[in-house]
């Protein structure tokens, strides 16, 4: 397959080949997002099987998103420089190999190490997905492709707990929790084979030099932010955690200043500051972050509450999310292909409103005589709102970004998403736990829901600052 240097949009591949390439990219995205949550419902089984301590289990969960968030921007820029298909395949191969290693892990230490490697491999793979969509599709064609992409990521976000519960409870092939990882292996092999044939090799026309100093500064700064956010709730938010977060913020500011300095000297920076002069990208990122933070808390709090307050089993909890997962792809597809091109930022505001209605309905349903039935209705409504948000956000945020900056924009977008979800889960989860211990689970649930609703409403207000122009 020929290598194309993208300076403006050109049709590198069309027709059936492009469709298969998109399916391959979507499959990789689905695996990555599913693996972020699939282990959560299997933790107790893992603990019994491997004899893991609670702190080790915490790292089984935390190691993956930590390595993933740290490496996203670097992974995007490596793709720009050395070839997006090449980095996609390397990341996909690493992800599949790490999944196999996780499934065969003999002790807790091995499982933690392989989960970290899995997250690092995902950081190489995932940025190439959005970048390839940017370069494979002209702006007027991206709506349908982004609609499929956002439908897949919305579905994957809730498939993890459902699939994890089904696999663990079903004890597939008498392998207990191990198939939650092993299931990735055949998918990765098939995706690699398809990628080699159908995804064209592209790279940036003038790729930014990746210096060790810049990469280390950015990686260390993101790690300093992500580490306390990820493990802080389980350690009662120690003082050193806030110190690390402050140091991380200072490091990110120093990195930004370094990038501005490089641009002034005529050197292509790792993240072009000019990227943030695109109003739809900058205001869209802020809106996207505000709307994404509550989702991290939403999935965590809802799953915890039905188990702690209502006594639901892990399998029952996982199956609870099926109505949500059915609604998301429907809404996301409509938002990206029809609604966002026609109504622009108002789709985000509409999605936020519907999401809030679903959350309120969920809270009211808990006190009903048949909570499972009303939960299903409420979760379907919430899924429609969530789908509209994820379905339109990628298109609205990235559509005006020049193809030459697609890699950097993809890395920043994915990093903001990972950080927002982590912050939401950590902060809102901590609120639920703290209030629950002092005032009971009902009060904890009410306070957590009010906080999430408030943040989503704020995101809808912030969306008003986005440009009127439609994609």
């Amino acid at each position: 397959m020929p290598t194309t240097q993208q300076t403006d949009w050109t049709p590198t591949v069309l027709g059936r080949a492009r469709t298969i390439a998109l399916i391959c990219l979507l499959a990789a995205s689905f695996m990555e997002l599913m693996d972020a949550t699939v282990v959560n419902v299997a933790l107790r089984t893992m603990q019994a099987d491997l004899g893991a301590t609670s702190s080790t289990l915490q790292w089984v969960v935390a190691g993956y998103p930590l390595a993933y968030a740290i490496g996203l921007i670097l992974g995007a820029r490596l793709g720009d420089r050395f070839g997006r298909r090449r980095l996609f395949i390397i990341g996909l191969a690493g992800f599949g190999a790490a999944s196999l290693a996780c499934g065969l892990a003999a002790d807790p230490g091995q499982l933690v190490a392989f989960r970290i490697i899995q997250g690092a491999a995902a950081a190489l793979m995932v940025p190439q997905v959005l970048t390839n969509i940017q370069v494979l599709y002209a702006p007027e064609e991206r709506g349908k492709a982004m609609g499929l992409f956002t439908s897949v990521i919305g579905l994957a976000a809730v498939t993890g707990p459902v699939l994890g519960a089904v696999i663990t409870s079903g004890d597939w092939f008498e392998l207990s929790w191990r198939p939650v990882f092993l299931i990735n292996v055949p998918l990765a092999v098939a995706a690699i084979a398809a990628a080699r044939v159908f995804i064209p090799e592209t790279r940036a026309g003038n790729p930014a030099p990746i210096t060790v100093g810049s990469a280390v500064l950015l990686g260390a700064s993101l790690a300093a932010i992500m580490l306390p956010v990820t493990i802080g709730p389980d350690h009662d938010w120690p003082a050193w955690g806030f110190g690390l977060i402050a140091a991380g913020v200072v490091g990110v500011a120093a990195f930004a200043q370094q990038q501005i300095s490089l641009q002034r000297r005529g050197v292509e920076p790792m993240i072009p500051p000019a990227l943030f002069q695109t109003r739809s990208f900058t205001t869209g990122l802020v809106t996207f972050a505000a709307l994404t933070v509550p989702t991290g808390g939403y999935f965590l709090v809802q799953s915890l509450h039905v188990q702690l307050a209502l006594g639901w089993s892990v399998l029952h909890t996982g199956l609870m999310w099926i109505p949500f997962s059915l609604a998301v792809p429907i809404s996301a597809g409509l938002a990206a292909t029809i609604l966002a091109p026609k109504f622009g930022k108002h789709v985000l505001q509409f999605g936020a409103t519907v999401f809030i209605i679903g959350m309120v309905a969920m809270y009211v349903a808990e006190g009903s005589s048949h909570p499972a039935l009303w939960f299903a209705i409420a979760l379907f409504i919430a899924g429609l709102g969530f789908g509209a948000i994820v379905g339109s956000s990628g298109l609205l945020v990235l559509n005006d970004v020049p193809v030459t900056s697609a890699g950097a924009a993809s890395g920043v977008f994915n990093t903001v998403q990972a950080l927002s979800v982590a912050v939401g889960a950590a902060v809102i989860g901590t609120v639920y736990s703290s209030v629950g211990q002092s005032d009971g689970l009902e009060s904890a649930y009410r306070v957590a829901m009010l906080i999430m609703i408030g943040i989503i409403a704020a995101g809808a207000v912030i969306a008003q600052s986005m440009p009127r122009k439609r994609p």
Side-chain angles (χ1 to χ4, degrees):
M1 194 68 70
T3 297
T4 304
Q5 293 200 350
Q6 292 287 338
T7 55
D8 198 1
W9 186 85
T10 53
T12 56
V13 62
L14 295 170
R16 177 171 167 267
R18 186 169 67 170
T19 300
I20 296 175
L22 179 62
I23 292 172
C24 176
L25 295 168
L26 296 181
S29 294
F30 183 88
M31 281 194 298
E32 181 280 317
L33 278 164
M34 183 184 69
D35 256 58
T37 57
V38 73
V39 301
N40 293 355
V41 296
L43 288 176
R44 291 182 181 177
T45 308
M46 290 178 185
Q47 186 174 32
D49 185 36
L50 297 176
T53 64
S54 297
S55 60
T56 302
L57 285 178
Q58 181 184 341
W59 277 104
V60 170
V61 176
Y64 179 91
L66 186 62
Y68 174 67
I70 292 170
L72 279 167
I73 292 175
L74 179 60
R77 296 315 260 164
L78 286 171
D80 284 349
R81 189 166 190 82
F82 297 108
R84 290 149 184 160
R85 183 184 66 177
R86 177 181 299 173
L87 264 291
F88 178 75
I89 291 174
I90 290 172
L92 191 52
F95 188 86
S99 296
L100 176 62
C102 286
L104 299 177
D107 59 62
Q110 289 182 12
L111 185 56
V112 170
F114 294 138
R115 278 287 282 175
I116 292 173
I117 294 171
Q118 194 184 34
L124 295 179
M125 172 181 71
V126 170
Q128 319 314 325
V129 174
L130 279 176
T131 307
N132 270 296
I133 289 176
Q134 291 283 94
V135 301
L136 286 173
Y137 291 86
E140 62 273 14
E141 296 180 295
R142 283 179 201 150
K144 292 182 179 179
M146 288 299 296
L148 289 171
F149 170 75
T150 51
S151 295
V152 165
I153 65 171
L155 182 61
V158 292
T159 296
V162 175
L163 187 60
V166 170
I167 290 175
T168 305
S169 299
D171 193 17
W172 290 8
F173 309 108
E174 297 183 351
L175 291 174
S176 186
W177 53 270
R178 297 179 186 275
V180 301
F181 297 112
L182 297 176
I183 196 173
N184 291 329
V185 178
L187 294 175
V189 170
I192 290 170
R196 288 176 59 85
V197 176
F198 295 104
I199 295 180
E201 184 62 285
T202 64
R203 53 174 58 93
N206 184 28
I210 301 172
T211 63
V212 174
S214 295
V216 169
L217 176 59
L218 178 61
S221 300
L222 291 175
I225 295 171
M226 278 294 294
L227 182 62
V229 166
T230 304
I231 70 173
D234 292 319
H235 290 81
D236 296 324
W237 290 98
W240 59 260
F242 293 102
L244 269 184
I245 292 174
V249 171
V250 171
V252 170
F255 175 80
Q257 186 58 48
Q258 180 193 64
Q259 301 302 290
I260 294 171
S261 177
L262 288 173
Q263 182 172 263
R264 287 174 178 169
R265 298 204 310 265
V267 179
E268 180 70 16
M270 191 172 172
I271 300 179
L275 181 64
F276 296 93
Q277 295 174 3
T278 304
R279 185 183 166 200
S280 59
F281 180 75
T282 304
T283 58
L285 270 184
V286 176
T287 302
F288 179 63
L291 294 174
T292 304
V293 164
T295 62
Y298 180 70
F299 296 128
L300 176 64
V301 168
Q302 294 293 357
S303 296
L304 280 176
H305 190 69
V306 295
Q307 292 180 66
L308 296 176
L310 302 181
W312 287 14
S313 67
V314 170
L315 180 60
H316 193 179
T317 302
L319 296 177
M320 173 188 74
W321 291 102
I322 289 178
F324 190 96
S325 64
L326 292 175
V328 168
I330 297 171
S331 180
L334 287 173
T337 57
I338 298 174
L339 300 178
K342 187 172 183 179
F343 299 107
K345 63 187 178 184
H346 299 300
V347 180
L348 288 172
Q349 296 172 317
F350 171 77
T353 302
V354 175
F355 197 5
I356 289 173
I357 292 172
M359 293 175 71
V360 172
M362 189 80 176
Y363 178 74
V364 173
E366 188 193 8
S368 69
S369 56
H370 301 285
L373 172 63
W374 292 107
F375 275 7
I377 296 172
L379 283 166
F380 188 83
I381 295 171
L384 292 176
F386 178 75
I389 292 170
V390 299
S392 57
S393 57
L395 187 64
L396 294 170
V397 174
L398 298 174
N399 197 68
D400 294 336
V401 173
V403 170
T404 50
S405 299
S410 171
V412 172
F413 181 84
N414 283 301
T415 301
V416 167
Q417 181 185 38
L419 285 170
S420 299
V421 170
V423 168
V427 174
I428 297 172
T430 299
V431 169
Y432 177 80
S433 177
S434 300
V435 177
Q437 291 175 6
S438 60
D439 299 328
L441 294 176
E442 285 303 316
S443 295
Y445 189 56
R446 181 175 63 254
V447 171
M449 292 287 273
L450 288 173
I451 291 173
M452 290 186 285
I453 289 171
I455 298 174
I456 294 171
V461 173
I462 296 170
Q464 192 61 33
S465 65
M466 294 176 68
R468 293 178 179 273
K469 179 183 175 183
R470 297 163 188 163

